[in-house]
Amino acid sequence: MSYSPFSRAAARYRDVDIDSKVMNASPHGLITLLYEELIREFNVYKSALEHGDREKRYQAQAKIFRLIGNLESSLDFEKGGEVARSLFRSYAYIRHNLGQTIKTLDPTPLKDAQKAVADLLSAWTEIG
């Protein structure tokens, strides 16, 4: 699949924008960015699945797994207690649902995972 110079430029601009946000974000803001990026990548994955774009689908799923890993690595089980354990279970659910979509190409588990992330983002934003 070929991309126009404009889409490549937009992608570069987006990368710079994200880098800038990350560098200026508080720890709470970083988690917010991870949730937002995860939702965005779910949309990229769903679109690639609908259009049969295997390469874009593989790129999106790799990003999704990295983002989930980053969220998991941010958990502090000693200080976070039950909240950290609950978030870990939520991330496992999200990872599992992505795996189900990868295996079956059925978008339903992915939609459920995206809803879970949106709920986490909403709760995270409220406590911020």
Side-chain angles (χ1 to χ4, degrees):
M1 176 176 283
S2 68
Y3 296 95
S4 74
F6 297 112
S7 64
R8 286 192 299 272
R12 282 193 301 272
Y13 175 79
R14 186 180 173 297
D15 289 344
V16 168
D17 185 49
I18 288 173
D19 289 345
S20 174
K21 287 178 182 176
V22 167
M23 291 181 67
N24 296 312
S26 66
H28 184 86
L30 287 174
I31 300 302
T32 301
L33 287 172
L34 288 171
Y35 285 144
E36 290 171 346
E37 190 66 13
L38 191 51
I39 290 169
R40 191 190 85 69
E41 286 302 321
F42 278 135
N43 288 330
V44 170
Y45 187 93
K46 284 191 302 190
S47 175
L49 185 62
E50 289 168 4
H51 294 96
D53 188 337
R54 222 180 244 181
E55 182 180 338
K56 191 169 252 184
R57 198 173 78 225
Y58 293 154
Q59 290 171 352
Q61 77 189 36
K63 286 182 183 179
I64 291 168
F65 282 128
R66 273 196 313 274
L67 289 163
I68 294 168
N70 287 334
L71 287 163
E72 288 172 334
S73 71
S74 73
L75 296 173
D76 183 336
F77 293 99
E78 284 185 31
K79 291 180 185 173
E82 183 52 38
V83 172
R85 287 188 292 279
S86 178
L87 285 169
F88 186 81
R89 287 189 297 273
S90 295
Y91 301 151
Y93 169 80
I94 293 162
R95 185 186 305 274
H96 171 78
N97 279 22
L98 176 60
Q100 288 301 110
T101 295
I102 291 168
K103 279 194 263 185
T104 64
L105 300 180
D106 175 8
T108 304
L110 187 72
K111 290 175 186 172
D112 294 341
Q114 188 172 21
K115 167 92 170 74
V117 174
D119 291 346
L120 288 170
L121 174 59
S122 177
W124 189 255
T125 302
E126 281 185 37
I127 65 169

